[in-house]
Amino acid sequence: MKTSGLLIACSFLISGCMGMPQFPEQEKNPKFWNDWAQQTLKDSLEQDFSNKKAKNLILFLGDGMGVPTVTAARILKGQLSGKSGEETQLEMDKFPFVSLAKTYNTDAQVPDSAGTATAYLCGVKANEGTVGVSAGAVRSQCNTTKGNEVTSILRWAKDAKKSVGIVTTTRVNHATPSAAYAHCVDRDWYSDNEMPAEALQSGCKDIARQLFENIPYINVIMGGGRKYMYPINMSDVEYPDITKHSGTRKDKRNLVEEWKSKMKDEKAHYVWNKEQLKSLNPKNVDYLLALFEPSDMSYDLDRNNNTDPSLTEMVEVAIKILQNNPNGFYLLVEGGRIDHGHHEGKAKQALYEAVEMDRAIGLAGRLTSIHDTLSVVTADHSHVFSFGGYTQRGNTIFGLAPKISDVDHKSYTSILYGNGPGYKLVKGERENASVAKYDEKNYQAQAAVPLSSETHGGEDVAVFAKGPMAHLLHGVQEQNYIPHVMAYAACIGQNKNHCMLKDGAVGLMPMFSSIATILTITLLLC
């Protein structure tokens, strides 16, 4: 794709800055598009369908990052660098294999982040609101937990002696990361403080506790969620005077101190700010617990650059630590606040989160090799987010549609939500977007139906893949197919029949192995 990239860059150099049309002059020439398509075709024909073993596995999960969000983030990324935006490539756009995943939960047409996390981490579809348990478990019913637990690919990798890590911009015990280690019938049981007495009496454990007890020695844990690890009313180290940030645990346990005590003889570190994180030498770290906020981390647009690391900075440290293991690693990275921005109707916050996750994807690509690392980028679900209005090429993604409504004669933004908190009436009529501060970071885009929190969408999500066995992610698949492919590529988990060689390579594929067996028998009989 290098040639096509140069064509695009050159076309913008000769593009006029004033007047219409707002697109490069070269695009008027059919040769521009024909050459670009032919180069893309050439690159595709040269694509390597690698059957090599994946030493490392990385799953990037954009929470709520549906296809409209991907497209809008692509345009934003380009516009942030002074381009029109539409022709820009996200890092995930460069992945050679793309498929679609069906996201429904076993009991929900439009899914939530817990049931979907169980699918793409544990390999089985599950009920809405439950993590790390099969559909036999019923949400909030503690007594349905036992016997319905399912394990995740993070556990499969750990059992194979790989290093494992979790990096998220939400709480480390939020829905997405918790499915990697917990078995819980309610995603909201962050600590024992959020659990009903009946569940505690029946022996169910909160998710924060399971983080430290279920899979010993997770190598990297990074994100927010400090308050769920500390005794109730214990002041937070960063916000000692803000009550809502104080500890929540009724059992009075200090899980951070327990972790530090347990890891005292290991190369282990606990950090809670960016300065401490940056002071570490990853080569000398085997275990890292990093909790940067009492709850979720700040939106990237609101982040204090001096005290809080970006997702990209966290991913860099995580990969460098995990690479210490010669057996390889599994890393789950969640851009979790894309989802939160959409729920709040704050498209600008959501899209900047998506662009930041794309930066992290690019960095991970530079730190690893496509020859031994299978990287997958996907979403758990979509949102009722859209952009349209017949906007012209290069229109700011947060801007107005070019024409007013022919019904109520008011302006509207290109970005709209099907429902959510952006529903506003002024004197009984729809607000005129042209008088609103629609370019501010917390502007809530107009919505068709009033809701305090915008909802998820039910359509399929994209799955981008590169590296060994990436071609197995093809077509339209159930979401729970994803971890099975990743495990197969790395020779971990339940299906290892194809992993016969001891030198780190993948052995004969099952079909060819069967043919070889038949030929051998035939020769013996002859």
Side-chain angles (χ1 to χ4, degrees), residues 121-273:
L121 290 174
C122 302
V124 300
K125 288 227 170 190
N127 290 330
E128 181 182 24
T130 66
V131 293
V133 288
S134 69
V138 182
R139 184 169 189 176
S140 302
Q141 294 186 19
C142 172
N143 63 357
T144 66
T145 306
K146 191 170 182 179
N148 289 315
E149 301 92 340
V150 291
T151 58
S152 76
I153 186 170
L154 183 139
R155 180 60 181 258
W156 309 340
K158 191 67 177 175
D159 289 346
K161 301 190 184 313
K162 292 183 182 292
S163 289
V164 295
I166 297 168
V167 176
T168 179
T169 51
T170 66
R171 288 153 274 187
V172 294
N173 50 346
H174 207 250
T176 295
S178 63
Y181 57 82
H183 311 292
C184 193
V185 292
D186 199 314
R187 58 173 288 178
D188 295 328
W189 290 354
Y190 300 119
S191 72
D192 60 347
N193 185 60
E194 290 76 37
M195 296 177 65
E198 181 183 5
L200 290 169
Q201 291 165 3
S202 298
C204 279
K205 298 179 181 180
D206 63 86
I207 297 172
R209 181 179 167 189
Q210 291 190 56
L211 171 62
F212 297 101
E213 296 181 1
N214 284 9
I215 305 179
Y217 301 102
I218 294 176
N219 299 82
V220 174
I221 303 168
M222 273 199 270
R226 272 198 308 261
K227 69 179 183 179
Y228 305 107
M229 315 299 169
Y230 289 103
I232 193 165
N233 297 326
M234 180 176 174
S235 296
D236 183 73
V237 64
E238 190 173 7
Y239 310 102
D241 300 323
I242 302 178
T243 304
K244 70 175 182 178
H245 293 326
S246 297
T248 65
R249 301 198 63 82
K250 288 182 178 180
D251 60 9
K252 305 293 179 67
R253 290 178 64 176
N254 187 324
L255 298 181
V256 172
E257 287 302 319
E258 289 180 17
W259 181 88
K260 289 164 67 175
S261 177
K262 176 183 176 182
M263 309 297 285
K264 66 180 185 301
D265 296 327
E266 308 288 343
K267 295 179 181 178
H269 298 265
Y270 168 69
V271 302
W272 60 268
N273 60 49

Side-chain angles (χ1 to χ4, degrees), residues 14 54 105 136 154 165 181 196 198 321 368 379 383 390 422 436 452 455 508 523:
I14 66 172
N105 295 148
L154 183 139
Y181 57 82
E198 181 183 5
I321 291 173
T368 58
H383 277 267
Y390 301 112
S452 59
T455 72
L508 295 172
L523 288 171

Side-chain angles (χ1 to χ4, degrees), residues 259-491:
W259 181 88
K260 289 164 67 175
S261 177
K262 176 183 176 182
M263 309 297 285
K264 66 180 185 301
D265 296 327
E266 308 288 343
K267 295 179 181 178
H269 298 265
Y270 168 69
V271 302
W272 60 268
N273 60 49
K274 179 177 176 178
E275 182 181 2
Q276 293 174 341
L277 181 70
K278 288 294 189 180
S279 70
L280 298 175
N281 180 352
K283 293 292 184 184
N284 296 325
V285 179
D286 290 333
Y287 303 96
L288 173 63
L289 174 61
L291 302 174
F292 299 108
E293 288 291 329
S295 187
D296 301 317
M297 296 184 69
S298 300
Y299 284 122
D300 200 61
L301 281 175
D302 298 332
R303 182 170 57 88
N304 184 325
N305 293 332
N306 295 318
T307 60
D308 296 327
S310 67
L311 180 61
T312 302
E313 290 168 330
M314 290 193 289
V315 167
E316 179 177 13
V317 174
I319 290 177
K320 288 180 177 179
I321 291 173
L322 297 175
Q323 286 175 329
N324 292 331
N325 187 342
N327 295 320
F329 64 84
Y330 173 86
L331 175 62
L332 168 64
V333 180
E334 183 196 21
R337 303 223 63 195
I338 301 169
D339 177 72
H340 296 172
H342 281 321
H343 278 308
E344 294 175 358
K346 299 175 181 177
K348 194 164 193 174
Q349 295 282 17
L351 295 183
Y352 270 80
E353 291 294 306
V355 170
E356 171 57 26
M357 192 180 86
D358 198 63
R359 290 192 193 100
I361 293 168
L363 177 77
R366 294 189 293 275
L367 291 177
T368 58
S369 169
I370 195 172
H371 299 296
D372 68 1
T373 303
L374 173 60
S375 299
V376 178
V377 180
T378 189
D380 46 358
H381 54 74
S382 186
H383 277 267
V384 291
F385 161 87
S386 67
F387 69 98
Y390 301 112
T391 48
Q392 295 160 337
R393 179 80 176 267
N395 190 72
T396 170
I397 193 62
F398 303 115
L400 296 173
K403 295 181 180 179
I404 63 172
S405 166
D406 59 0
V407 177
D408 66 6
H409 308 294
K410 292 181 173 65
S411 297
Y412 60 99
T413 54
S414 172
I415 285 175
L416 297 169
Y417 286 95
N419 57 51
Y423 179 92
K424 295 182 182 69
L425 293 178
V426 179
K427 296 181 180 180
E429 296 183 349
R430 183 177 69 86
E431 181 183 49
N432 192 335
S434 64
V435 300
K437 297 179 180 179
Y438 55 82
D439 60 343
E440 289 189 345
K441 65 182 180 180
N442 289 319
Y443 172 72
Q444 292 177 310
Q446 292 183 349
V449 177
L451 290 177
S452 59
S453 177
E454 176 265 4
T455 72
H456 296 170
E459 72 269 27
D460 300 346
V461 296
V463 184
F464 306 85
K466 70 174 181 178
M469 305 282 188
H471 59 280
L472 297 178
L473 287 163
H474 65 280
V476 180
Q477 306 290 352
E478 296 288 356
Q479 194 170 41
N480 66 294
Y481 175 64
I482 295 171
H484 290 279
V485 169
M486 298 184 76
Y488 183 88
C491 291

